[in-house]
Amino acid sequence: MTAATMKQAFDNAETISVWPVPDLTLINNGRRAPVDMPSDLFGPAWRSILDVAEVTSTAPDYAAMGYLASAASLIGGKRWISPYGSGWSEPCILWCAALGDPSSRKSAPLDKMTRPLWAIQNAAKESHEEARREWQAECERAKAERAKWQEEVRGSAGTENQTPELPVLAVEPEEPQERRPVISDTTPEAAASVLKGNPQGVLCYNDELAGWLESFERYTTGGRPFWIAAHGGKPHNITRKGSGSLDLQFTGISVLGSIQPDKLVELLTGANDGLVPRILWAWPEKRLPERPRIVPDLSSLERAYQRLELLSWGQDTDGKRSPVILQLDDDAAETFESWDKHNASGEGDGVSLYDSFVGKLSGAVLRLALVAELTKWAFGGGEEPRSISRSSLAAAIEWCEDYAKPMAERVYGDAAVSVADRNAALVARYIRKNGLRRINQRELRQHPHRQKLKALQPKGAIDDAIEVLEASGWIRADFDRDGDTPGRQRKDYTVNPAVHEATQ
């Protein structure tokens, strides 16, 4: 070794030795790690979920959430679940959200799992067009009958004869409504119009959920009350401008969509009013793209959706349409009572979003158990179940305990982190991923970094993130200028070598 190389080695060793130990927890910034999706809840649907996950190079979480929301929307108001058979019952309505960075490919599995719903809608178009033709003919008949009746009324005018009664055939029938299993970002008034013709409920599928979450505040006269009713399947009245009102006996809308974590954080601020904690979250780690090795056969999924779509309504004592209520069997009821007490004991003070989420899990467990029970029937055939088994309930409890709760901690914990800490974590992950040994404060906001570091664009964001990174031992200032001219120095920073050594 020459004197020069010995000096260089000494200088490198000295440089490394004076670096502080970097705080590597900054990478996740206290964010809870994701957990694997349990499969028992999905029964025979799990095979389709895995196939969709493989061809989209994603964790099964996204496809699974797509299945839950789709299946729940098809069951809707036709089947409810009651834990003990008196008083308390829950409709089959689920709100499911898929979280991930813009490049997580989360939309693809959601699209595939909801595609059969569009097939159901297309298949219904032919019968709807036929129904409209019959309706138009009946309307023309009604007009003719009304004209005839009006002549009779005119003939009785000026006489003591009794005014002829309006015949039933002279009353125009209501226009037939089209079967629409899926709607997108919509106003309460528009959604109510669709629900009027789809009494079992629908799926509100938004590729980007941010707009839907923002709509809670957008319609100040009825947004939040409408969506609270939509999650509970409650009766609701919508007053329409210039066209009367709509009375809905079942306001049932399941929700599905995707959102980016950074966008969600802003929307969660001040959101603990009972709406957001009703959402079930999926936020797995991003997977690297792979060439698909299979061509998924989703015919069994399509047949299962069709069976759920064709579930019949029950009838009340007056012969009117009503839901069929499935109770927990005795073993399931005993298990649910025990779990419900345990879950309630861990709710905390109910102030945080997570506490509110846990407090609402009792209803979610029942709804998930109903989906699990009907999933086995929809895929397997046989006689339709008339109660909810302990196995279906246990699968729902396992899913909520081992998945829903940890994912909620991951989501709400991320929201509790300050903007500066969150941006610092973003830069830290970017440094590690790209093996950066040196960064420049200004260049991080320019091409090619800008697209990946959008959160650093607001004024002061990059300054605050740099300050956190310095305090955490990740970087240190190494300001300099190009050439010997006076002026402002380049804000260059050297990255702590230990940051990259930890990945080797």
Side-chain angles (χ1 to χ4, degrees):
M1 181 179 291
T2 66
T5 55
M6 288 179 64
K7 182 179 184 303
Q8 183 64 47
F10 177 79
D11 289 342
N12 289 343
E14 183 179 26
T15 300
I16 294 173
S17 67
V18 298
W19 276 101
V21 177
D23 180 6
L24 296 178
T25 63
L26 184 65
I27 283 285
N28 291 319
N29 208 10
R31 177 185 292 171
R32 195 199 194 288
V35 292
D36 292 335
M37 172 79 76
S39 61
D40 286 354
L41 179 68
F42 304 92
W46 188 246
R47 182 66 265 165
S48 297
I49 290 168
L50 289 179
D51 287 351
V52 167
E54 180 172 344
V55 298
T56 56
S57 295
T58 56
D61 307 47
Y62 296 146
M65 297 305 260
Y67 176 77
L68 288 177
S70 297
S73 71
L74 292 171
I75 300 166
K78 294 178 290 187
R79 298 293 180 273
W80 289 52
I81 180 171
S82 175
Y84 309 124
S86 60
W88 180 14
S89 60
E90 295 282 342
C92 200
I93 299 169
L94 294 173
W95 289 1
C96 302
L99 273 75
D101 295 326
S103 58
S104 298
R105 300 180 298 280
K106 51 192 179 293
S107 296
L110 300 186
D111 288 344
K112 288 186 178 296
M113 297 304 290
T114 56
R115 190 170 298 165
L117 300 182
W118 296 102
I120 290 173
Q121 179 165 312
N122 291 334
K125 282 185 179 298
E126 184 175 343
S127 59
H128 174 67
E129 290 172 359
E130 182 179 348
R132 274 191 58 82
R133 288 193 295 270
E134 294 177 357
W135 168 73
Q136 289 170 342
E138 290 174 0
C139 286
E140 291 301 318
R141 169 69 185 271
K143 291 177 183 177
E145 294 287 347
R146 178 175 286 271
K148 180 180 177 182
W149 168 76
Q150 289 171 337
E151 286 293 332
E152 294 174 355
V153 171
R154 280 192 287 271
S156 65
T159 72
E160 296 181 356
N161 295 336
Q162 186 175 359
T163 302
E165 291 185 4
L166 179 69
V168 174
L169 290 175
V171 179
E172 291 190 12
E174 289 189 12
E175 182 178 357
Q177 299 294 314
E178 183 180 2
R179 173 64 175 128
R180 290 187 57 189
V182 187
I183 60 176
S184 57
D185 186 23
T186 183
T187 66
E189 183 176 329
S193 297
V194 175
L195 285 172
K196 193 66 177 177
N198 292 265
Q200 70 269 53
V202 297
L203 175 68
C204 181
Y205 175 37
N206 298 285
D207 185 48
E208 178 51 68
L209 273 181
W212 175 71
L213 289 167
E214 290 168 349
S215 76
F216 294 169
E217 299 293 350
R218 193 183 307 150
Y219 308 106
T220 55
T221 59
R224 286 186 177 274
F226 174 79
W227 285 109
I228 288 174
H231 187 270
K234 300 174 182 177
H236 193 70
N237 175 272
I238 292 282
T239 300
R240 299 184 293 181
K241 296 179 181 178
S243 55
S245 62
L246 281 175
D247 289 310
L248 302 174
Q249 294 305 306
F250 177 72
T251 311
I253 306 181
S254 289
V255 174
L256 175 67
S258 62
I259 191 168
Q260 299 169 28
D262 290 341
K263 290 186 178 181
L264 178 65
V265 168
E266 300 172 5
L267 295 167
L268 291 183
T269 304
N272 194 6
D273 63 351
L275 274 174
V276 170
R278 287 171 163 85
I279 301 173
L280 301 172
W281 307 95
W283 189 3
E285 291 288 5
K286 175 185 174 182
R287 293 191 174 180
L288 295 175
E290 293 183 1
R291 177 183 176 184
R293 304 298 177 186
I294 63 168
V295 177
D297 180 6
L298 299 183
S299 57
S300 61
L301 178 70
E302 294 166 359
R303 287 193 296 270
Y305 280 1
Q306 284 286 351
R307 296 199 78 187
L308 296 176
E309 164 72 4
L310 294 175
L311 281 168
S312 61
W313 287 90
Q315 287 187 340
D316 61 17
T317 54
D318 296 326
K320 296 181 180 179
R321 181 179 58 208
S322 67
V324 176
I325 299 179
L326 278 64
Q327 292 181 218
L328 300 179
D329 65 26
D330 290 341
D331 289 342
E334 185 175 341
T335 298
F336 179 75
E337 181 183 14
S338 176
W339 172 83
D340 199 21
K341 290 178 179 177
H342 172 75
N343 184 65
S345 66
E347 287 181 26
D349 55 14
V351 173
S352 71
L353 282 168
Y354 179 75
D355 287 341
S356 296
F357 174 83
V358 171
K360 298 182 185 305
L361 270 187
S362 296
V365 161
L366 292 173
R367 297 176 186 206
L368 290 165
L370 179 56
V371 172
E373 192 71 42
L374 289 174
T375 291
K376 289 185 285 189
W377 166 78
F379 277 84
E383 186 176 350
E384 184 186 329
R386 295 299 172 185
S387 63
I388 305 298
S389 64
R390 185 183 181 280
S391 62
S392 292
L393 179 75
I397 290 174
E398 176 199 29
W399 193 85
C400 285
E401 288 291 334
D402 296 348
Y403 188 83
K405 283 184 177 180
M407 280 297 175
E409 289 178 339
R410 180 167 161 85
V411 171
Y412 298 136
D414 203 57
V417 174
S418 70
V419 174
D421 287 347
R422 196 162 54 248
N423 287 341
L426 175 67
V427 178
R429 291 192 291 271
Y430 191 72
I431 288 171
R432 282 271 290 264
K433 179 180 179 180
N434 295 281
L436 302 180
R437 305 287 174 172
R438 191 176 180 84
I439 61 174
N440 175 269
Q441 182 168 332
R442 182 180 179 183
E443 290 174 355
L444 287 179
R445 300 178 64 197
Q446 299 174 340
H447 182 78
H449 313 295
R450 178 174 182 166
Q451 188 65 23
K452 301 294 184 181
L453 301 173
K454 290 182 179 179
L456 303 182
Q457 295 305 310
K459 184 178 180 180
I462 184 66
D463 299 294
D464 293 341
I466 289 292
E467 184 178 340
V468 174
L469 286 164
E470 283 190 287
S472 301
W474 274 69
I475 61 174
R476 67 182 176 194
D478 190 8
F479 294 0
D480 198 359
R481 273 191 54 76
D482 294 331
D484 298 327
T485 58
R488 183 181 299 177
Q489 291 182 313
R490 286 172 49 88
K491 290 187 177 181
D492 292 323
Y493 294 85
T494 302
V495 176
N496 189 337
V499 165
H500 298 296
E501 292 170 1
T503 66
Q504 296 175 357

